[in-house]
Amino acid sequence: MPDKQSHEAYEEITMPVDLRGEILRRYTAARKARTGRIAQLSAAACLVLVIATALLLLYQRPGIYVGGNRLTASQTAVQTETVSYAGSFQRGADDAQSMRQTQSAIALKTGYNRDVCITVDGGMLLTEADGTWQYAGQSAALAAGQTVFWCPEGHGGDKPVLCTVADADGTLLQTLVLRYDETEHIYYLHTK
Amino acid sequence: MATQEQAQRLEGVYQAYADRLYRLSVSILRSCSDAEDCVADTFCRYLEKAPAFADGEHEKAWLIRVCVNCCRDLMRRRKLRAWLPLEDAAELTAAVPGTPALDAVSKLPEVYRCAVVLYHLEQLSIRETAVALSLSESAVKMRLSRAREMLRAELNDMDWR
C-alpha cells in the first residue's frame, strides 16, 4: 500500500473549477449535433432511396418478365414481332379462323409445321381435320402429330409467357416468349 | 437546451463523484486540464445515456469505468496528435500535486498505472477494478503484482503489497 502521506496527498486533489455549466453546454451541443446528424442521414437515406427507385424503374422498363421474373440479358436480346391478329383464345368455332391465322403465322416465323397447337390455361387447342379447334390436352395434341406450343402459365393477359415448342415425340425444339395483348388482340412473338 | 430535470440530475451526481473522478483522471493522465476535460466528458455521457442503475455502487462503477475509458481515449488521441514539446509536457505533469510515491505511480506505463490508481488509491476491490478496466480478476492481480515490482525498484524500500 502507498504511504499515508501519499494517500492524503491523493485525497487532497480536488476539482479546481466548477464544471457543471461546461457539462450542460457540452451536452446541449452534442445533442444538437446528433439531431443534425440524424437529419443529414435521413436526407441521405431518402436521396439513396429515390435514386435506387429511379434506377430500378429505368432498369425494369425495357425488360421482359416471365412469371414475374426478369429474363436474363441473352433472353431479353430478342426481336419483337407482331405475328398476327389473333382474337381471344376461346373455345369454339368463332375463334377458329383467327386462331388458325395466329397458328400459321407462328409456324411461318418459327419454321415449324403448320399444325401447331397452343395452350390455353394449361389445356390445348387441337386442330381438327376440318380446320376447327378443339379443347384437348397436350398428350392428345402430341398423339395427333402436332407441334405443341406449350405455355404452362396460360397467356396471362399482357404478361409474356415462356412457351416451349415440342415436336410429335415430345422433344423440346425451342423456347419462345409469347405475349398476348388483350386490348389489341395481338400476339407478340419474341424470337432471338 | 438542457432541461431543468437534467440539470438536477447532474447536480446530485456531480456533488458525489466530481472530485473522485477528477483525482482518478489526474492520476491517469498526469494533466489537470486534460483531467477536467475527461470529467466533463464523463458527466456529459452520463446525461446523454441517462442509464438506469440498480444502486449507488452500480452508478459509481459505471462512472469510474466511463471515466477510465475517457482517459484512455484521450491518451490515444494524444499519441496520434502529440505536438507539445517535451518541456511543456513536463510542466503539465509538474502541475499535479504529489509525493514521491504518487510521482512513481505517475511514471508507470498506462496499463499498470490504471490498475494501481484504482486499487491502491481509489481503494476499489480487485473485482471492481477488473470491471472498471474490462479485465479478468487474474489479469488485474498480475498487473498489480508487476506494478508493485516496478514501484519497489523505483522507490527502493517502500512497502507496496
Side-chain angles (χ1 to χ4, degrees), chain A residues 124-136:
Chain A
M124 314 298 288
L125 287 166
L126 195 63
T127 313
E128 296 291 341
D130 60 0
T132 58
W133 295 83
Q134 184 187 330
Y135 196 69

Side-chain angles (χ1 to χ4, degrees), chain A residues 1-3 5-7 9-24 26-28 30-32 34, chain B residues 1-2 6 11 14-15 19 22-24 27 36-37 39-41 43-44 48 99 101-102 120-123 159-161:
Chain A
M1 292 288 285
D3 57 305
Q5 192 194 352
S6 298
H7 251 302
Y10 181 75
E11 292 293 329
E12 277 169 18
I13 300 172
T14 51
M15 182 72 86
V17 287
D18 188 347
L19 289 175
R20 274 169 284 197
E22 170 68 9
I23 292 164
L24 290 174
R26 279 193 197 189
Y27 167 69
T28 309
R31 209 171 57 165
K32 270 185 190 170
R34 195 169 61 240
Chain B
M1 286 293 287
Q6 278 146 347
E11 185 67 33
Y14 186 89
Q15 292 284 0
D19 283 341
Y22 178 71
R23 276 196 292 271
L24 177 62
S27 305
E36 285 170 23
D37 221 27
V39 171
D41 272 353
F43 284 117
C44 201
E48 275 178 34
T99 62
L102 291 182
H120 284 299
L121 299 174
E122 281 297 326
Q123 297 182 318
D159 183 24
W160 286 83
R161 277 168 293 189

Side-chain angles (χ1 to χ4, degrees), chain A:
Chain A
M1 292 288 285
D3 57 305
K4 193 180 172 193
Q5 192 194 352
S6 298
H7 251 302
E8 284 173 356
Y10 181 75
E11 292 293 329
E12 277 169 18
I13 300 172
T14 51
M15 182 72 86
V17 287
D18 188 347
L19 289 175
R20 274 169 284 197
E22 170 68 9
I23 292 164
L24 290 174
R25 189 192 62 73
R26 279 193 197 189
Y27 167 69
T28 309
R31 209 171 57 165
K32 270 185 190 170
R34 195 169 61 240
T35 311
R37 271 200 303 276
I38 290 169
Q40 280 178 341
L41 283 173
S42 303
C46 285
L47 189 66
V48 167
L49 199 66
V50 167
I51 291 170
T53 308
L55 284 174
L56 196 66
L57 288 173
L58 280 173
Y59 176 71
Q60 271 195 332
R61 277 188 71 183
I64 292 175
Y65 291 81
V66 176
N69 299 315
R70 193 174 193 280
L71 298 183
T72 62
S74 60
Q75 284 174 306
T76 53
V78 295
Q79 184 183 355
T80 303
E81 294 178 70
T82 304
V83 176
S84 172
Y85 174 79
S88 58
F89 272 178
Q90 296 290 329
R91 185 182 173 185
D94 291 349
D95 298 314
Q97 187 59 31
S98 60
M99 195 60 221
R100 177 160 284 282
Q101 285 172 355
T102 303
Q103 182 192 35
S104 303
I106 291 172
L108 191 66
K109 290 285 180 191
T110 57
Y112 297 114
N113 73 59
R114 193 167 167 274
D115 292 329
V116 294
C117 182
I118 301 174
T119 63
V120 176
D121 299 331
M124 314 298 288
L125 287 166
L126 195 63
T127 313
E128 296 291 341
D130 60 0
T132 58
W133 295 83
Q134 184 187 330
Y135 196 69
Q138 185 184 4
S139 55
L142 290 170
Q146 296 186 352
T147 302
V148 175
F149 275 66
W150 181 41
C151 306
E153 299 168 55
H155 54 70
D158 287 339
K159 288 181 184 171
V161 288
L162 204 62
C163 304
T164 50
V165 184
D167 65 9
D169 300 327
T171 311
L172 181 71
L173 299 175
Q174 194 176 356
T175 303
L176 304 167
V177 176
L178 200 63
R179 181 168 66 81
Y180 178 62
D181 187 323
E182 280 187 313
T183 314
E184 299 292 328
H185 300 298
I186 289 173
Y187 266 92
Y188 293 98
L189 179 68
H190 304 264
T191 55
K192 285 191 181 179

